[in-house]
């Protein structure tokens, strides 16, 4: 049985994504309070796999997770794109007229801003996790409290769903990365698809004119499709940046050639993972 470390509790979107990615396989979840603890679980036990959100189509990138991944030495072995649908839930014996406060993760609250604006009398309070908010209300029997979470979390904790699909934008997807100790990558890939067509990398560039455009031109020459580029400042080195880049390709040889070609132009280039472009649940 695979052990999978996630941020959040049972019923969270990380839980759903992990079970979707490992569909048909038995997994044991290790629930962590934060993303640092996810990487800590991998470091403590190299057999443990990590599942972490890296970007959302509404909220953007989780920049801190990029840096945690780079520092950890873990490798990306896969990804899953989960359609996020939020529900407004409460204790089973309560209804709309009873609700005075709603609790959830700040990103979930932001994604439901329009819905919350229609209910100005309900106090909005940030929590550590969507599913955990529902769990606390259920455990402590908090009258007048509602949570914004997945329908799966509502079912797990015996909550009443007052309204489904309350997210403002229905094209709301979160991309989750599956990460593992480098020594486990080959073993994990042996049991999964070998159709590697995506890679994630990070590099720095010399502070010279046209340094980034040179790299992008080479990737274009080799017909490598850039799907994401994210810059992060390097602390302690003013006006210097790390670039986190995702690419997809249909020819592994051309991809390898492109990496060989850009390496002399970059500093500290690191491949974070080579894997199959992820599926989604829609």
């Amino acid at each position: 049985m695979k052990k999978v470390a996630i941020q959040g509790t049972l019923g969270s979107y990380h839980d759903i994504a992990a079970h979707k990615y490992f569909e048909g396989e038995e997994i044991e979840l290790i629930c962590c309070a934060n993303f640092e603890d996810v990487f800590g679980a991998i470091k403590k036990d190299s057999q443990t796999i990590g599942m972490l959100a890296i970007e959302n189509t509404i909220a953007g990138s989780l920049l801190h997770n990029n840096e945690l991944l780079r520092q950890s030495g873990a490798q990306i072995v896969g990804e899953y794109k989960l359609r996020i649908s939020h529900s407004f839930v409460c204790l089973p014996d309560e209804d709309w007229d009873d609700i005075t406060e709603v609790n959830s993760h700040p990103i979930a609250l932001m994604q439901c801003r329009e819905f919350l604006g229609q209910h100005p009398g309900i106090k909005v309070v940030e929590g550590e996790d969507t599913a955990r908010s529902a769990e606390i209300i259920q455990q402590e029997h908090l009258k007048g409290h509602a949570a914004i979470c997945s329908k799966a979390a509502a079912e797990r904790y015996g909550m009443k769903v007052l309204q489904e699909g309350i997210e403002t934008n229905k094209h709301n997807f979160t991309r989750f990365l599956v990460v593992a100790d480098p020594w486990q990558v080959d073993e994990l890939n042996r049991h999964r698809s070998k159709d590697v067509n995506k890679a994630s990398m990070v590099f720095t560039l010399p502070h010279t004119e046209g340094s980034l455009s040179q790299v992008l031109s080479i990737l274009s020459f080799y017909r490598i499709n850039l799907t994401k580029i994210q810059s992060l400042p390097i602390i302690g080195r003013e006006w210097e940046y790390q670039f986190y880049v995702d690419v997809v390709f249909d020819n592994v040889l051309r991809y390898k050639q492109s990496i060989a070609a850009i390496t002399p132009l970059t500093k500290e280039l690191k491949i974070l993972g080579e894997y199959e472009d992820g599926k989604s649940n829609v």
Side-chain angles (χ1 to χ4, degrees):
M1 182 185 295
K2 290 184 173 69
K3 290 184 287 186
V4 182
I6 63 168
Q7 184 274 323
T9 190
L10 299 177
S12 66
Y13 292 107
H14 278 85
D15 174 358
I16 297 169
H19 279 92
K20 290 284 187 183
Y21 183 81
F22 292 106
E23 196 166 14
E25 301 181 56
E26 280 194 73
I27 62 173
E28 175 191 345
L29 291 183
I30 301 171
C31 296
C32 302
N34 52 54
F35 291 110
E36 285 85 352
D37 288 348
V38 171
F39 287 104
I42 297 171
K43 187 175 182 179
K44 183 178 179 181
D45 178 4
S46 64
Q47 300 288 323
T48 297
I49 301 162
M51 192 98 186
L52 67 149
I54 198 68
E55 63 177 325
N56 175 265
T57 52
I58 310 299
S61 294
L62 282 75
L63 302 180
H64 184 52
N65 285 356
N66 280 317
E67 190 62 6
L68 287 175
L69 176 60
R70 183 188 68 82
Q71 293 174 350
S72 72
Q75 285 276 299
I76 304 169
V77 295
E79 66 175 7
Y80 191 81
K81 298 161 187 171
L82 180 70
R83 162 80 163 85
I84 304 296
S85 181
H86 296 302
S87 294
F88 191 72
V89 311
C90 66
L91 292 170
D93 56 347
E94 294 202 305
D95 217 317
W96 283 101
D97 294 339
D98 302 305
I99 305 304
T100 59
E101 179 175 314
V102 59
N103 313 121
S104 195
H105 189 278
I107 290 181
L109 294 171
M110 182 272 289
Q111 292 171 347
C112 301
R113 190 177 297 152
E114 188 175 296
F115 167 82
L116 294 172
Q118 296 168 1
H119 302 278
I122 298 177
K123 181 182 177 182
V124 177
V125 178
E126 294 183 357
E128 64 183 61
D129 181 65
T130 53
R132 178 65 178 147
S133 296
E135 183 182 25
I136 290 172
I137 292 170
Q138 186 269 336
Q139 286 179 341
E140 300 182 12
H141 203 69
L142 297 177
K143 293 280 190 178
H145 286 240
I148 291 176
C149 61
S150 67
K151 186 179 179 182
E155 292 170 352
R156 173 173 285 277
Y157 298 113
M159 303 286 279
K160 179 196 285 187
V161 177
L162 292 176
Q163 189 170 331
E164 293 181 46
I166 63 171
E167 63 279 1
T168 302
N169 192 316
K170 305 307 176 186
H171 298 281
N172 184 9
F173 287 82
T174 294
R175 177 176 164 236
F176 294 84
L177 297 180
V178 185
V179 300
D181 184 281
W183 292 101
Q184 300 301 320
V185 171
D186 289 343
E187 179 64 24
L188 289 168
N189 287 340
R190 193 173 295 126
H191 301 290
R192 302 193 70 83
S193 169
K194 295 181 175 61
D195 296 328
V196 172
N197 61 355
K198 187 169 186 176
S200 298
M201 66 192 81
V202 58
F203 53 79
T204 60
L205 291 170
H207 201 45
T208 56
E209 184 177 334
S211 57
L212 178 58
S213 65
Q214 282 183 306
V215 170
L216 299 182
S217 294
I218 289 172
L219 293 176
S220 176
F221 174 79
Y222 283 98
R223 287 183 284 170
I224 306 300
N225 184 23
L226 186 77
T227 58
K228 178 185 175 183
I229 182 166
Q230 182 83 52
S231 64
L232 281 179
I234 302 173
I235 296 173
R237 289 157 60 179
E238 292 79 5
W239 317 121
E240 290 191 47
Y241 298 87
Q242 287 172 328
F243 293 90
Y244 288 84
V245 171
D246 290 343
V247 297
V248 294
F249 46 87
D250 56 15
N251 185 297
V252 175
L253 177 59
R254 279 206 312 269
Y255 158 71
K256 296 289 187 184
Q257 290 171 333
S258 73
I259 296 300
I262 67 171
T263 298
L265 303 176
T266 65
K267 296 190 292 184
E268 304 166 17
L269 186 145
K270 181 178 183 181
I271 304 298
L272 299 172
E274 297 167 343
Y275 49 100
E276 183 181 11
D277 191 14
K279 299 174 182 176
S280 75
N281 61 328
V282 173

